[in-house]
Amino acid sequence: MTHEEVVAEVIRLVKPHAEGRVANITADTGLTGELALDSLKVMDLITDVEDHYEISVPLNTLADIKTVGQLATLIQTHVGKKA
Amino acid sequence: MKENPRLRAVREVRGELASLGVDPFGIQIDEILSPTEGLIQGRKTILAGTNNYLGLTFDPDCIAAARQALESAGTGTTGSRMANGSYAAHRELELDLARFYGKRDAIVFSTGYQANLGMISALAGPGDTVMIDADSHASIYDGCNLSGANTIRFRHNDPDDLAKRMRRLGDEAANALIVVEGVYSMLGDRAPLREFVEVKKQFGATLLVDEAHSMGVLGAKGQGLCEELGLLDDIDYVVGTFSKSLGNTGGFCVGDADEMEVLRYASRPYVFTASLPPATIAATRMALRKLEAASDLRQRIRENAARLHAGLAALGFRLGAPANAVVAVLAGEKVEALRFWHHLLKQGVYVNVMVPPATPGNESLLRCSVSAAHTPEQIDAICAAFASWPARESVMATAPTALER
């Protein structure tokens, strides 16, 4: 899967948690910044991501993840490990 | 002095509270009158948010034991047990706890928070996996952080979801530490512990159960949910606190594992925290004896919890869980919940207000903790205060909430 495909999927998954705060979400959109996800919503998003891709994304690996694109990259790493 | 940007968000929240004229997170009880009453802002107030489940804080025998220890052993230990020595009473309390649970050994920590911090970080480290319930207490999240282990969160009270995430771990699942609570502090809901034990056995993992809100309340002896469900032998580690049913401060873990002998030496919160003072240890030991014999208090707490739960349900409030020592009223969005809380305080009733993200779902909660020491009249007064909130219709919406979906 391409990076763009994963970004598109993350955007789809993040929308229910973002309550329409940002009209046009892109790879550069900040999860806790523009989307204003609190710590709980970020963790709920990760739960959804894990189930969608059938991967484990430990919470302790999220420290440097600030944007939709960075989360997509992390997902690709985990999906790559599984393959 | 330049502003620390990290504290800006906290400042903003404090400012918001100040503009509403409420400060639920800085409440001061000017005079504590009894386990269930205090003077707050000059008013005699019913305390229904203090986790004083058995009402032992003023028990004459516990006070006498504390006084005697204070006079014979002094005010404090002035150091940690490992660096500065244990008093005999520290070890005696550990043996009391081990005996009470029928477990091989116990470790005492200086707070309940540190019991979770100390146990999780001693049992797991970088490269290990800890599986935690989504609604876990902050001390469990922080214990995972301190451990450096891979932390995976499963959906609240969902054993199938835990099993699914365990399967994804492959061979690593057998080394995983699963952490759940007996009763969850926010909503007062119980864990489906029997099913969690099944998952633990299926994968050969280790299970730690935090009984902070169920010790003293559930089970014939008051050991908690583990006892009530007959599962004590299947739980590797039981963590608890002295600051709720035992009316004091401190925390503990009991377990049968060989590791119990060495765990404390690998636990930084144990190694680097001053040990509990003699009076605290003595009062806790006495309270544990009382707790064990307190089946009448457990009966009272059940009756009080049922009375409060039924009273609030009859008024049309949505409640977080079936009747339990924690009764949580779903209170809609934050500002409304804060105003509601303030109204209750002015009516002479102190409860806890919890707002997202500290609450599950997107709703605020007004959380009551019931005590065996509450009188039926006090329970009725709590219900009457809730009934007198003019805007109560707005939090009784029949539409499903984030929590109920």
Side-chain angles (χ1 to χ4, degrees), chain B residues 120-138:
Chain B
I120 294 168
S121 62
L123 288 167
D128 299 329
T129 304
V130 187
M131 310 295 287
I132 62 171
D133 186 284
D135 284 8
S136 289
H137 187 261

Side-chain angles (χ1 to χ4, degrees), chain B residues 30 43 71 79 94 100 141-142 160 167 173-174 188 207 210 230 234 248 256 263 278 282 296-297 306 327 347 396 402:
Chain B
D30 294 321
R43 257 186 313 270
E71 286 173 1
E94 287 176 343
F100 173 62
Y141 278 101
D142 293 355
D160 293 339
R167 271 193 294 277
L207 177 61
D210 179 349
D234 298 307
N248 218 303
D256 281 325
L263 263 168
D296 57 327
L297 293 183
V327 178
Q347 299 296 307
M396 295 180 189

Side-chain angles (χ1 to χ4, degrees), chain B residues 156 187 316-321 328-332 360-363 365 395-405:
Chain B
H156 175 55
L187 297 175
F317 289 106
R318 292 171 297 120
L319 304 173
V329 174
L330 307 187
N362 290 321
E363 266 205 272
L365 299 171
V395 294
M396 295 180 189
T398 48
T401 63
L403 211 57
E404 293 162 326
R405 271 197 294 271

